[in-house]
Amino acid sequence: MVVVMEERASEEQVQHVIAQLVEKGFDIHRSTGQLRSVLGAVGGNRSFDTRLIEVMDGVHEVLRITEPYKLASRTFKPERSAVSFDEFRVGGDEVIVMAGPCSVETEEQIAAAAAAVKKAGAKILRGGAFKPRSSPYSFQGLGEDGLRMMRAAADAEGLKVVSEVMDVSQIELVVGYADILQVGARNMQNYTLLRELGKARTPVLLKRGIAATIEEWLLSAEYVLAGGNTDVILCERGIRTFESYTRNTLDISAIPVIQKLSHLPIIADPSHGTGLRDKVAPMARAAIAAGADGLIIEVHPDPDHALSDGAQSIFPLQFDRLMAELRIIAPAIGRSICLEPVARRGWGA
Ligand code: PEP
Ligand code: MN
């Protein structure tokens, strides 16, 4: 941390600040210029509240140099991390796509969704069984029945499963069915849940909170990592802004920002990020062009009758087209993506 003193700060004020920093465990390197003193404070505690110094008499500005998170940072681990599954990794060179309905609704619906997304090249089936709905009167998900249906549909197609866990009490159950535990935007700051997920050995997909800064998001990831679970995938899903033409504002710039600050893989969710079906493909293309390690996309066999998020769910045909476009974009930025549509591979057999 660097403490810049005011020009008119007295020697007594400077000494007072130094004493306070030393008491908090910092080593001080002072440089005294013609106009002002600057204090370099090294060591101390990463979670030190710099405002304690900022409010002291004679202090002009306090600049934090080390990030408040550690395990999630590039400083701690300079090389990129990847989360490995049997035949692929999220965070490697290959762009990985997770797709499926917002909610698991029926056996037929999830089976049709699984077949469609697999055919187009997705590797992971998404679908909520526990749904964090804004209204308590909206469809809340099928619970364990939904998880069972989704696991069967994914297994039939050779897909992995990502599904949301909303509460500590659901972890054990969801771990039994899913390959990735999704923490929804509304739960990004549920620290009790994050701590418990740190004890799990199933990868976690951590969505960015609706009003969370990137630093808060990385601190949430830190909770999971600090618990010993190193498999964390970040997901930019749009933040709330003043804009009303879209449901959220997908913060594409968060992708390169995260990649500079952290070694963790990051994917984008253009479905919740825009809330509108016709905006999903353009934003998905943009996210991959910006360097995202993958996408999570809502695809429904009959979106107009979906029990949740129908307006932002794309048709299987639109998903096919999008995957074809991504096959052009990914190599242009040095990434690969499931090259052959799975259906085409089958034709020669
Ligand atoms: C979802 O994935 O369906 C969902 C509810 O996402 P979010 O937590 O980002 O709103
Ligand atoms: Mn949804």
Side-chain angles (χ1 to χ4, degrees):
M1 164 179 34
V2 173
V3 181
V4 182
M5 300 301 296
E6 280 173 359
E7 281 183 28
R8 55 181 167 72
S10 66
E11 182 57 27
E12 195 188 348
Q13 287 172 332
V14 177
Q15 288 304 330
H16 195 192
V17 171
I18 291 176
Q20 176 79 329
L21 288 167
V22 169
E23 191 194 314
K24 301 292 183 199
F26 290 96
D27 287 333
I28 309 301
H29 303 265
R30 177 176 179 175
S31 24
T32 312
Q34 269 188 339
L35 292 176
R36 56 173 101 221
S37 289
V38 174
L39 308 174
V42 187
N45 192 329
R46 189 175 288 272
S47 64
F48 181 75
D49 185 352
T50 53
R51 290 173 307 167
L52 289 170
I53 302 299
E54 214 168 314
V55 295
M56 290 182 76
D57 288 342
V59 172
H60 174 66
E61 195 179 14
V62 179
L63 306 163
R64 185 186 271 286
I65 295 188
T66 39
E67 310 91 353
Y69 43 85
K70 179 184 170 193
L71 304 176
S73 78
R74 279 265 186 195
T75 323
F76 176 74
K77 183 173 182 288
E79 65 283 3
R80 288 163 63 189
S81 291
V83 176
S84 296
F85 298 92
D86 306 334
E87 291 158 2
F88 61 88
R89 310 179 321 138
V90 179
D93 286 340
E94 188 184 5
V95 164
I96 301 298
V97 179
M98 316 181 181
C102 177
S103 306
V104 182
E105 298 168 4
T106 62
E107 259 168 38
E108 295 70 32
Q109 173 245 19
I110 195 68
V117 302
K118 168 74 182 194
K119 185 167 133 303
K123 295 275 168 76
I124 301 169
L125 180 64
R126 67 144 288 148
F130 295 103
K131 295 304 302 177
R133 305 305 302 280
S134 299
S135 164
Y137 308 116
S138 300
F139 176 60
Q140 302 287 308
L142 297 181
E144 186 168 8
D145 284 345
L147 289 169
R148 200 177 300 119
M149 291 174 194
M150 183 159 53
R151 184 75 259 172
D155 287 347
E157 299 292 342
L159 292 164
K160 299 290 176 202
V161 163
V162 56
S163 199
E164 179 156 356
V165 46
M166 283 173 60
D167 186 82
V168 170
S169 63
Q170 295 162 357
I171 296 178
E172 207 183 320
L173 178 70
V174 182
V175 162
Y177 292 97
D179 304 291
I180 306 176
L181 306 172
Q182 176 175 325
V183 176
R186 293 156 189 82
N187 263 322
M188 189 208 83
Q189 285 176 314
N190 180 341
Y191 301 118
T192 322
L193 178 62
L194 297 174
R195 263 189 208 289
E196 281 303 306
L197 289 171
K199 296 181 198 157
R201 288 300 168 263
T202 304
V204 170
L205 179 69
L206 179 62
K207 289 196 155 196
R208 181 178 182 180
I210 288 170
T213 63
I214 289 174
E215 188 167 292
E216 288 165 339
W217 187 17
L218 287 172
L219 280 166
S220 289
E222 190 81 11
Y223 268 87
V224 182
L225 298 170
N229 188 347
T230 52
D231 286 337
V232 176
I233 304 164
L234 299 169
C235 176
E236 162 59 42
R237 51 78 70 204
I239 48 174
R240 183 160 291 176
T241 67
F242 47 79
E243 184 50 69
S244 58
Y245 280 117
T246 45
R247 181 181 181 188
N248 293 293
T249 297
L250 187 69
D251 182 7
I252 300 262
S253 63
I255 298 163
V257 171
I258 285 285
Q259 286 171 336
K260 180 157 188 191
L261 297 172
S262 177
H263 53 89
L264 295 173
I266 177 166
I267 67 165
D269 174 349
S271 309
H272 295 87
T274 62
L276 298 160
R277 187 179 302 151
D278 61 327
K279 313 288 186 295
V280 171
M283 295 312 278
R285 297 192 300 255
I288 293 307
D293 295 304
L295 295 164
I296 182 164
I297 299 181
E298 289 186 338
V299 181
H300 194 291
D302 181 12
D304 293 336
H305 296 98
L307 295 184
S308 61
D309 285 347
Q312 68 191 34
S313 300
I314 58 174
F315 289 89
L317 193 61
Q318 291 177 303
F319 183 63
D320 269 349
R321 256 185 243 133
L322 170 61
M323 290 297 285
E325 290 164 351
L326 298 180
R327 276 182 203 104
I328 298 168
I329 295 171
I333 54 153
R335 310 288 295 254
S336 65
I337 183 166
C338 177
L339 270 180
E340 289 290 305
V342 177
R344 196 176 303 155
R345 269 195 229 139
W347 291 346

